[in-house]
Amino acid sequence: MAGGSAADLAPTAVVKIFSAGTAGCMADLVTFPLDTAKVRLQVQGESKALPKGQKVAYRGVFGTIITIVRTEGPRNLYNGLLAGLHRQICFSSIRIGLYDTMKQLYAHGAENPGFGARLLAGSTTGAMAVAFAQPTDVVKVRFQAQVHQPDNGSVKRYSSTTQAYRTIARVEGLRGLWKGCLLNITRNAIVNCSELVTYDIIKEQILKNKMMTDNMPCHFTAAFAAGFCTTVVASPVDVVKTRFMNSVPGQYGGGANCALTMLLKEGPSAFYKGWELSSKTGADQVQQLIYLNLSLQLHAVVSSPGVLEHSDVCQL
């Protein structure tokens, strides 16, 4: 192949890690209000049942966003953004940036890794990313869940991101910063298996059957399908994870107790609270994966002009 092999043209692990982290941060800047609305829907009704006849505070995608803007101001849609960016730098860099490397490791360098290698790679990078980034996720969720309405006497749980890290470490210890880590690893194993692997396989089949070329519509189609699969499968674990990480010490005996409490108090439908906004995961990943692919293509063009047609170098 003229211009060198695909392996020679492929970006290094460092480039992929940097591209993935940058992609995650850019996606967060766009979709963070949706994520905040999802968290509010997921924790709604957790503390006590509503009096008969009283309506819930948040209802639907736009209803939740409008309520937050009207009662707390538009800035609160981005409450916890700094922690969210911390999370993306730590989390996406590992989860997406190391996926190709782990996939080749499990496939022992095979040109076309099988499903098992992809599954193991997705689960491994997800677990590694969670273990590294869990404190940032705990702080992010707690900021997003806190309602700030000074006129109604509500007080902020934390005044700043740095203060949140310090307070959690002081009051709850290191275990507090890694609260819900096992739940998050479980969720992200599901996310990786249903998202990255599905994206990988669908994109490969689209290109193999020449349904599309390796361009934006191809990336969008594969990423949208991957995001939808993730939404359906991971939503119950996501709700439990959010509630457990946001809980005060002693509120739940563990992840299983949190799930059982939800089931007994609110019924099975509680596990799909915010489901319509969990599809935001799909939008988030569409942006992340498209931007990552384009970043890697740009790297290939800059490094070796004239090799853009060798699209195999930037497959995720």
Side-chain angles (χ1 to χ4, degrees):
M1 182 168 64
S5 65
D8 294 331
L9 297 173
T12 64
V14 173
V15 171
K16 291 179 181 178
I17 289 170
F18 177 80
S19 298
T22 303
C25 288
M26 292 189 67
D28 240 20
L29 290 172
V30 176
T31 63
F32 201 81
L34 295 177
D35 195 43
T36 299
K38 183 192 74 170
V39 169
R40 293 291 182 91
L41 284 168
Q42 288 179 333
V43 301
Q44 182 170 241
E46 177 184 23
S47 56
K48 59 182 179 179
L50 286 172
K52 190 174 181 179
Q54 183 176 336
K55 294 182 179 181
V56 295
Y58 307 115
R59 187 183 297 274
V61 180
F62 296 108
T64 301
I65 292 174
I66 290 172
T67 298
I68 294 173
V69 171
R70 187 178 69 248
T71 60
E72 303 173 49
R75 289 185 61 183
N76 268 33
L77 288 173
Y78 282 90
N79 204 15
L81 176 62
L82 184 57
L85 296 178
H86 291 168
R87 177 182 177 273
Q88 291 294 355
I89 291 170
C90 299
F91 183 78
S92 292
S93 298
I94 296 174
R95 184 178 69 92
I96 300 178
L98 289 180
Y99 176 68
D100 269 344
T101 302
M102 295 304 300
K103 183 172 67 175
Q104 288 302 314
L105 178 65
Y106 284 120
H108 304 291
E111 187 174 345
N112 294 308
F115 180 79
R118 292 168 175 168
L119 200 65
L120 286 171
S123 299
T124 301
T125 57
M128 290 168 59
V130 168
F132 189 62
Q134 184 66 14
T136 65
D137 207 8
V138 171
V139 172
K140 178 186 79 75
V141 166
R142 292 189 181 188
F143 265 106
Q144 290 176 309
Q146 70 179 8
V147 177
H148 182 50
Q149 297 176 337
D151 294 340
N152 294 337
S154 64
V155 181
K156 281 188 174 183
R157 191 173 184 180
Y158 306 109
S159 60
S160 70
T161 303
T162 303
Q163 191 257 348
Y165 286 123
R166 290 175 177 172
T167 301
I168 295 171
R170 185 180 69 253
V171 175
E172 303 175 47
L174 290 178
R175 291 184 62 182
L177 288 172
W178 269 268
K179 192 172 189 176
C181 188
L182 185 58
L183 275 171
N184 217 353
I185 287 175
T186 302
R187 174 190 173 274
N188 278 283
I190 296 172
V191 165
N192 274 281
C193 292
S194 60
E195 177 188 273
L196 288 177
V197 175
T198 304
Y199 174 88
D200 214 3
I201 292 173
I202 291 176
K203 181 182 174 184
E204 183 179 274
Q205 290 301 312
I206 289 174
L207 296 176
K208 183 178 179 181
N209 294 295
K210 299 181 179 179
M211 299 169 64
M212 298 179 183
T213 57
D214 192 0
N215 53 18
M216 187 170 289
C218 174
H219 303 162
F220 180 86
T221 301
F224 183 83
F228 179 79
C229 291
T230 299
T231 299
V232 173
V233 177
S235 183
V237 183
D238 193 38
V239 175
V240 176
K241 177 216 69 164
T242 297
R243 289 195 174 192
F244 187 61
M245 290 196 304
N246 185 55
S247 64
V248 297
Q251 184 174 351
Y252 299 113
N257 176 255
C258 179
L260 182 61
T261 302
M262 283 175 55
L263 181 63
L264 295 178
K265 287 180 61 177
E266 302 171 65
S269 62
F271 292 96
Y272 280 89
K273 281 191 173 183
W275 186 90
E276 68 274 25
L277 272 166
S278 288
S279 62
K280 168 261 171 189
T281 302
D284 200 2
Q285 299 312 320
V286 165
Q287 292 178 67
Q288 287 193 39
L289 295 171
I290 288 177
Y291 183 79
L292 177 58
N293 271 273
L294 293 179
S295 296
L296 299 180
Q297 284 193 11
L298 179 61
H299 171 82
V301 172
V302 172
S303 300
S304 304
V307 299
L308 184 58
E309 66 273 14
H310 301 307
S311 56
D312 55 333
V313 303
C314 63
Q315 288 190 31
L316 184 58

